[in-house]
Amino acid sequence: AAGNLSGIRDDLKIASDNLSPQRTTTLRTDLNLDAREQVLTATPPIPFNPLDPSTYNHVTATTIFDSLGNPHEVTQFYAKQTPTGTQSNWSLYLQVDGEDVGATDTSVDPAVPAASLVFDQNGNLTSPANGVIPIANWEPKDGNGVSNGAASLGGAAFDLNLGSTTQYGANFGVNDQRQNGYTTGRLSGLDVSQQGVIFARYTNGQSKSLGQVALASFNNTNGLSPSGDTSWVETFESGQPVIGRPDTGTLGAIQSSSVEESNVDLSAELVNLIIAQRNYQANAKTIETSDAVTQTIINLR
């Protein structure tokens, strides 16, 4: 069910039903925060406002999915705070579909950051530990702001992983951003590798291995007995079959989307047939001449 290949042999069944959606449990963002950015200071302090670019330095967004496969946009806002000693502090504000998440209670103070990021003098992230920020207070909602029926709060929790985030004196840039969720998808095609692994491709961009074709070899292939329709059966002379995975040991590879053709050169076989026919004709003439000479000798007597 998980798409892992096993050594159990059975009939291979290709299911054509939809691929079930998978909710996002991990969102990984690898980026660089520009160390040359100015610290956001004001008197009195200006609270974070996603509509006011002066309250943050950088922003990036991506899509995640809930348990029903509905997409939701996650937006990350990064605001540089006052450095402390040899460290630099940044505040991370997180929104899902425009709603603040990540803080302990965003309903009390929406300006509370989801996390505080601390970098050392080498630009490496030191806090939070391992760069993982758990988000447990998000409730998936529809376009009207009403719960859409998907798993909510603890059931919709996901981890924002910033473990590879750096703070160097270079322009802000997102190096990689990926998440492990996806919406539902329909079967769109099949691919077969040389190792016989059958991959299913779905309309949501996902792929899944459905199984692997097994091959068999015999110690004496000449001992196999023909059973008609290009089929052969095991005999005592052929020995028992040795079953394994394609392209391993003495087993051959599998060529997908191909039709088996003749394993002989038809042109060469036709030339050999013509040569054999000419040899037959020459031998027939020789025998005919020999018979004529013999008959002449008999008539002389």
Side-chain angles (χ1 to χ4, degrees):
N4 300 317
L5 298 176
S6 65
I8 301 176
R9 296 196 305 273
D10 198 356
D11 293 338
L12 188 58
K13 300 178 181 179
I14 307 299
S16 59
D17 51 347
N18 289 354
L19 182 67
S20 300
Q22 175 176 300
R23 74 176 183 88
T24 299
T25 58
T26 300
L27 170 59
R28 182 180 182 88
T29 302
D30 298 342
L31 49 81
N32 178 68
L33 298 174
D34 193 346
R36 302 167 298 181
E37 287 286 347
Q38 297 297 319
V39 175
L40 298 180
T41 58
T43 305
I46 302 175
F48 164 72
N49 182 0
L51 301 180
D52 185 0
S54 65
T55 61
Y56 55 88
N57 299 84
H58 306 298
V59 60
T60 181
T62 188
T63 300
I64 64 173
F65 298 91
D66 60 27
S67 61
L68 296 179
N70 298 311
H72 302 272
E73 186 177 75
V74 177
T75 309
Q76 306 170 40
F77 301 88
Y78 295 89
K80 190 174 185 180
Q81 305 299 323
T82 304
T84 302
T86 59
Q87 297 178 335
S88 295
N89 296 345
W90 290 73
S91 292
L92 167 63
Y93 298 92
L94 201 64
Q95 289 189 340
V96 179
D97 295 337
E99 181 181 1
D100 296 284
V101 298
T104 303
D105 189 357
T106 55
S107 62
V108 176
D109 187 0
V112 176
S116 179
L117 310 180
V118 181
F119 296 87
D120 61 18
Q121 57 186 353
N122 295 319
N124 299 317
L125 184 65
T126 60
S127 178
N130 301 322
V132 177
I133 304 171
I135 307 299
N137 62 344
W138 170 51
E139 181 179 1
K141 298 179 181 179
D142 58 19
N144 298 321
V146 181
S147 177
N148 63 3
S152 60
L153 299 179
F158 64 94
D159 291 334
L160 174 60
N161 190 335
L162 301 175
S164 298
T165 297
T166 57
Q167 182 200 229
Y168 297 146
N171 293 333
F172 171 79
V174 180
N175 302 320
D176 189 18
Q177 195 158 232
R178 66 183 68 179
Q179 51 85 37
N180 62 347
Y182 48 81
T183 187
T184 185
R186 294 189 298 272
L187 183 66
S188 62
L190 296 173
D191 295 323
V192 184
S193 69
Q194 288 189 340
Q195 290 74 34
V197 179
I198 300 179
F199 291 93
R201 290 180 283 107
Y202 296 90
T203 55
N204 59 357
Q206 299 297 312
S207 61
K208 181 180 179 181
S209 58
L210 302 180
Q212 187 175 30
V213 179
L215 294 182
S217 64
F218 296 86
N219 293 329
N220 179 22
T221 56
N222 292 329
L224 294 173
S225 176
S227 61
D229 296 330
T230 68
S231 297
W232 301 76
V233 295
E234 172 189 355
T235 66
F236 178 79
E237 287 78 11
S238 67
Q240 294 182 347
V242 179
I243 300 177
R245 299 186 177 187
D247 207 18
T248 60
T250 59
L251 296 174
I254 290 181
Q255 186 70 35
S256 64
S257 302
S258 300
V259 177
E260 184 179 3
E261 297 179 346
S262 175
N263 56 1
V264 297
D265 188 344
L266 294 181
S267 298
E269 293 298 323
L270 180 60
V271 171
N272 292 334
L273 181 62
I274 295 174
I275 293 175
Q277 183 182 11
R278 294 182 62 183
N279 291 337
Y280 175 80
Q281 290 176 343
N283 290 335
K285 288 294 184 181
T286 301
I287 295 175
E288 182 180 353
T289 301
S290 176
D291 290 342
V293 171
T294 302
Q295 187 66 33
T296 303
I297 294 174
I298 292 175
N299 292 338
L300 291 174
R301 293 180 179 180

